[in-house]
Amino acid sequence: MAPAGVSLRATILCLLAWAGLAAGDRVYIHPFHLVIHNESTCEQLAKANAGKPKDPTFIPAPIQAKTSPVDEKALQDQLVLVAAKLDTEDKLRAAMVGMLANFLGFRIYGMHSELWGVVHGATVLSPTAVFGTLASLYLGALDHTADRLQAILGVPWKDKNCTSRLDAHKVLSALQAVQGLLVAQGRADSQAQLLLSTVVGVFTAPGLHLKQPFVQGLALYTPVVLPRSLDFTELDVAAEKIDRFMQAVTGWKTGCSLMGASVDSTLAFNTYVHFQGKMKGFSLLAEPQEFWVDNSTSVSVPMLSGMGTFQHWSDIQDNFSVTQVPFTESACLLLIQPHYASDLDKVEGLTFQQNSLNWMKKLSPR
């Protein structure tokens, strides 16, 4: 989804997906072999590319063409099946890709704060959706573009050999595995269920050809890929058409913005995520409450109220606290709160520098 033009500074709120993986600390020491091509795969690719005809292409249907609505229940059932078929290596790969997505999310957060400063409001950032979008574009990238995308995704490459190259199919499959593990384990507890649906919209200028293998590869990330064509010469009109189309297909309010696009643009790649979680013991307050972004700026937002025993840790030296609010055994909210508003910048810096897993080891009931 296109980001809103507002600041992330309102709060630091992380959704941590622990997928119930039986993995030790070694998983997080960058086992890149899990996501790059191995020698046998490279040999198969070389044979397949030798004398291979050009990939078949197609022109996406116009955006006004009739489309069946998305069946979210079917999507959830499919994710549960994905989780049930995962082996040990698949789970390790999912854990690694999840960590890479978190690292990318923190980097984007830090760059956003440096470039844009404090603006009224708040932005919701999905590291998984951003990572999935970049990995999807890597699927169709070549040469220098592929090199840059691989570096942004956090996987170093040493040379031009195939065995140093990121395997986008493995990455996209791992992202679907993460979603499957979350949904499957969320269903095990009727008191706390997770709903997580991902839909990709590939919007092209009229007459633009897309390669079939590229679009088919996206199905590894989400089974719902919607290629459609429309006129980009009037960006506001194009954004409205995309909004109407996505709402008609999904029922979600999307708020598409074609930031950074121009009348010469020929493609918009949008990743839409619908996430809902139920937290036992929480309820929505009757009226919006003031949330202070800093000492002089506040915004009115809906808030939840809940009481109970939570995992908590307070750092007296650096003046902040960490509270874990569970959705399920595999997903939680990790709330990081400065003791004093003046310490917000300091606490944000610590969040980028520290491994949140170390903080979670210090939590105790309160």
Side-chain angles (χ1 to χ4, degrees):
M1 253 184 225
V6 285
S7 174
L8 296 168
R9 295 279 310 273
T11 187
I12 304 173
L13 185 150
C14 300
L15 172 66
L16 301 180
W18 303 125
L21 303 180
D25 291 340
R26 287 181 59 84
V27 174
Y28 305 107
I29 309 180
H30 305 305
F32 292 118
H33 67 278
L34 291 170
V35 291
I36 60 176
H37 291 294
N38 55 39
E39 290 187 7
S40 61
T41 304
C42 288
E43 290 175 0
Q44 293 174 5
L45 289 173
K47 292 178 181 178
N49 291 330
K52 179 183 176 182
K54 290 184 177 180
D55 291 329
T57 64
F58 70 99
I59 298 176
I63 197 167
Q64 62 268 24
K66 187 175 181 179
T67 305
S68 301
V70 172
D71 185 345
E72 285 199 82
K73 184 182 183 304
L75 286 180
Q76 306 306 302
D77 292 342
Q78 187 165 346
L79 286 174
V80 172
L81 289 176
V82 168
K85 297 178 181 179
L86 298 176
D87 59 25
T88 301
E89 183 173 305
D90 292 330
K91 293 179 179 180
L92 292 175
R93 185 177 294 111
M96 179 192 177
V97 169
M99 292 300 293
L100 289 174
N102 279 340
F103 294 151
L104 178 63
F106 278 133
R107 284 162 52 201
I108 293 174
Y109 182 103
M111 292 175 63
H112 188 289
S113 298
E114 291 178 8
L115 292 174
W116 296 102
V118 178
V119 183
H120 300 298
T123 291
V124 177
L125 171 68
S126 170
T128 306
V130 174
F131 195 90
T133 298
L134 293 175
S136 299
L137 296 178
Y138 179 87
L139 186 66
L142 295 172
D143 304 326
H144 183 63
T145 303
D147 297 341
R148 294 291 300 275
L149 282 171
Q150 180 165 330
I152 293 172
L153 293 171
V155 181
W157 54 279
K158 300 177 182 179
D159 49 48
K160 298 296 182 181
N161 292 335
C162 171
T163 51
S164 292
R165 290 296 180 187
L166 189 66
D167 188 332
H169 293 97
K170 289 181 179 178
V171 174
L172 295 176
S173 296
L175 287 171
Q176 189 178 67
V178 170
Q179 298 175 69
L181 288 164
L182 284 171
V183 171
Q185 295 192 16
R187 284 191 174 187
D189 182 0
S190 60
Q191 297 294 327
Q193 294 183 350
L194 290 178
L195 183 149
L196 179 59
S197 304
T198 303
V199 173
V200 167
V202 184
F203 303 102
T204 71
L208 185 72
H209 290 250
L210 289 177
K211 289 186 176 182
Q212 287 185 3
F214 167 69
V215 176
Q216 291 167 354
L218 298 177
L220 296 170
Y221 178 35
T222 171
V224 182
V225 181
L226 302 170
R228 291 295 181 271
S229 64
L230 73 159
D231 189 352
F232 285 101
T233 54
E234 295 184 51
L235 294 179
D236 291 340
V237 174
E240 291 177 5
K241 288 183 178 180
I242 291 174
D243 270 348
R244 287 198 300 269
F245 170 76
M246 292 306 304
Q247 187 162 354
V249 174
T250 64
W252 311 336
K253 293 183 179 180
T254 58
C256 172
S257 173
L258 296 176
M259 292 178 61
S262 68
V263 294
D264 297 326
S265 297
T266 57
L267 184 143
F269 188 105
N270 290 5
T271 299
Y272 300 87
V273 178
H274 186 207
F275 175 80
Q276 287 184 338
K278 296 180 181 179
M279 294 185 292
K280 186 178 180 180
F282 280 78
S283 59
L284 187 66
L285 294 176
E287 297 180 355
Q289 307 291 313
E290 278 192 314
F291 182 86
W292 290 90
V293 179
D294 54 37
N295 291 334
S296 60
T297 308
S298 68
V299 291
S300 181
V301 298
M303 287 194 181
L304 294 173
S305 175
M307 297 182 64
T309 301
F310 302 96
Q311 295 294 316
H312 179 86
W313 173 63
S314 183
D315 189 322
I316 300 176
Q317 179 179 350
D318 290 315
N319 293 323
F320 71 94
S321 62
V322 179
T323 304
Q324 178 181 307
V325 181
F327 279 121
T328 67
E329 292 182 359
S330 59
C332 67
L333 295 177
L334 193 64
L335 306 176
I336 305 171
Q337 181 181 15
H339 293 168
Y340 309 103
S342 58
D343 288 335
L344 178 59
D345 288 335
K346 176 183 175 182
V347 173
E348 284 186 346
L350 288 171
T351 303
F352 299 142
Q353 297 168 12
Q354 301 294 322
N355 185 344
S356 57
L357 289 175
N358 294 331
W359 288 348
M360 296 185 71
K361 292 176 183 177
K362 299 177 182 179
L363 298 176
S364 60
R366 175 173 171 179

